[in-house]
Amino acid sequence: MNVQEYISGGIIESYVMGLATESERLEFEQKCAQYPEVAAAFREFEEKWEKFALQNAVPAPEMVKVRFLEAIRNTASGNTPSFNQPKIITMENEKEPVRRTGGSRFLAAASVILLIGLAWFAFQYNSLKSTNADLSKTNNSLKTTLNSKDSILNQILAEDAVTKDAVSNPNVTVVNMVGTGSAPKSSANVYWDSTSSNVFLVVKNMPALPTDQQYQLWALIDGKPSDLGVFDATNEKVILKMKNTKKAQAFAITIERKGGSPSPTLQKMQSLGKTTIKQ
Amino acid sequence: MSLYISNLGIPTTTYSEQDLIVALKERNEQAFGYLYDSYSGALYSIIKQLIIDNNELASDVLQEVFINIWRKIDSYDQTKGRLFTWMLNIARNASIDTLRSKSYQNSQKNQELPDNVYKGGNNQTTQVNIDNIGLKKILEKLKVEHRVLVELAYFKGFTHEEIAEMQGIPLGTVKTRIRNALIQLRDYLK
């Protein structure tokens, strides 16, 4: 390609003035990227064009600036600023000639324009309303997501703290609850701090239960069971703060009716773990 | 962006083109005010060259143009040309759209009515003034066959095909003449 010929062939002027066709534009943009001379000549003409336009400026109405800045100020980002202004003004432009030919025609024209204006406002109002509804829906679902993420995060943090504590604190006993014959897959760990009496239960996998039943954790103290609280079935790892106990030779988990029982149903014992601490 | 304090104690902000573009894309209101102060005159000039003899309508188009700049600023791509080129084309397109709108076409018909004769004199004086500004003025220096085509393409927004049909000349001739006219116009720009 003869670059000089391309540059002086009028394409630059055509492109800048908005007279080039789509294919000419694409070709020109590609040539600009390919040939620095084309890009330089393009910049040079643009500057000349801008300078010429600025030299030939005519004072613009200050009122337009006021209205423009007002329109963008009143418009929250994303909404469309008022566009019907020109339509309403057009009505006034038409007023003069039409009025001479009869007031009824003017009224007819005015009412049509008013209707268009009202329809436009109604449309705008409805679209804003639905945008608003969509936004609050999104907001709610984000809140829900955030809450669930928060609780997961808190669990992770709490578990982490308990685990660290268990590792570093010689007073914490970790009891691995082993599934019994009736529930071989049940799995949970009890973290028991014998000095503070705190009991945490890390549930790893407990099979689902009918809705009227819950699991119940027991501490076996001198052969007698003592209630440590109820919890729901889950196959996700969760950490639960159970009731405190000062003593325990073993922990047991049974299936009980919702809310728990005063004494364990031993044939429904799901898992059992013995402490190694001598009481 | 740098802040200068004028002698009167009124702070005025000036922008480099780069800073201005960044501020506009952030929808900075002050930057849009600056944009208006700097470029509204040049844009208003082109609008008035297209929408002749109707200052009120030209003002409305100017407002629409600035709102469009505000709305579309994210789509402005610096690699495809200067901010001014982009804005001027928005102004030209908005003017052409207005010229083609039904309400404008109707108002033109109304003005041709015989009971509208008083407007005649007024019309002519404005016409003369408009011919004295900007591109319209240097267009006068071109040969008639060139000038007419640029008028139709640039000031009326017709495509080359439409012009070829309208004028009864081959499309190739339209293209060549407009290209040649633009090359001549370039040399008249100072």
Side-chain angles (χ1 to χ4, degrees), chain A residues 68-144:
Chain A
F68 163 60
L69 292 179
E70 212 166 84
I72 65 174
R73 206 173 296 142
N74 291 339
T75 307
S77 58
N79 295 342
T80 318
S82 173
F83 266 108
N84 62 325
Q85 200 87 21
K87 276 180 196 149
I88 288 169
I89 299 299
T90 309
M91 176 180 87
E92 285 169 8
N93 292 337
E94 284 173 357
K95 192 162 62 185
E96 237 186 310
V98 179
R99 187 180 273 164
R100 289 188 203 108
T101 64
S104 61
R105 275 181 64 187
F106 167 70
L107 276 178
S111 55
V112 166
I113 288 159
L114 186 65
L115 269 178
I116 294 169
L118 285 173
W120 188 88
F121 277 115
F123 169 74
Q124 208 62 4
Y125 174 69
N126 278 331
S127 73
L128 281 179
K129 228 165 62 178
S130 73
T131 310
N132 195 15
D134 285 348
L135 283 176
S136 67
K137 220 193 241 169
T138 314
N139 194 14
N140 282 339
S141 90
L142 283 175
K143 249 185 222 160
T144 315

Side-chain angles (χ1 to χ4, degrees), chain A residues 6-21 24 26-29 32 42-43 45-73 75-83 85-90 92-94 96-101 105, chain B residues 17 28-29 32-34 36-42 44-46 48-49 54 56-57 59-64 66-68 70-71 79-86 88-89 92 102-104 106-107 110-111 113 115-116 118-119 132-135 137-138 150 153-154 158 160 175 178-180 182-183 185-190:
Chain A
Y6 184 76
I7 288 173
S8 57
I11 178 64
I12 294 176
E13 295 74 16
S14 195
Y15 182 88
V16 171
M17 291 171 70
L19 294 177
T21 63
E24 285 170 338
L26 292 174
E27 190 196 51
F28 180 73
E29 282 160 15
C32 270
F42 168 48
R43 267 196 301 277
F45 179 72
E46 269 198 303
E47 279 166 20
K48 212 172 169 186
W49 178 242
E50 180 170 337
K51 205 174 137 206
F52 177 78
L54 289 170
Q55 279 165 356
N56 286 279
V58 293
E62 193 63 19
M63 196 50 215
V64 174
K65 182 184 179 183
V66 174
R67 289 196 311 215
F68 163 60
L69 292 179
E70 212 166 84
I72 65 174
R73 206 173 296 142
T75 307
S77 58
N79 295 342
T80 318
S82 173
F83 266 108
Q85 200 87 21
K87 276 180 196 149
I88 288 169
I89 299 299
T90 309
E92 285 169 8
N93 292 337
E94 284 173 357
E96 237 186 310
V98 179
R99 187 180 273 164
R100 289 188 203 108
T101 64
R105 275 181 64 187
Chain B
E17 169 132 351
N28 179 313
E29 191 189 311
F32 277 94
Y34 173 84
Y36 189 90
D37 294 340
S38 311
Y39 295 108
S40 59
Y44 193 48
S45 173
I46 198 77
K48 278 168 72 78
Q49 287 173 62
N54 195 334
E56 205 172 358
L57 190 55
S59 305
D60 290 338
V61 171
L62 182 67
Q63 189 187 347
E64 189 192 320
F66 271 93
I67 289 174
N68 269 329
W70 183 84
R71 280 178 64 225
T79 62
K80 291 184 179 172
R82 289 174 70 83
L83 179 65
F84 180 76
T85 308
W86 182 74
L88 193 75
N89 283 328
R92 177 176 164 260
K102 275 227 167 77
S103 60
Y104 183 80
N106 288 340
S107 74
N110 285 335
Q111 289 191 358
L113 290 176
D115 64 351
N116 205 17
Y118 335 99
K119 278 223 153 180
N132 276 332
I133 60 169
L135 205 55
K137 191 175 157 192
I138 55 171
V150 175
Y154 191 76
F158 290 111
H160 291 181
K175 287 192 168 169
I178 289 179
R179 282 287 179 94
N180 286 336
L182 297 184
I183 294 166
L185 282 179
R186 175 187 62 199
D187 296 333
Y188 291 126
L189 296 182
K190 272 176 212 143

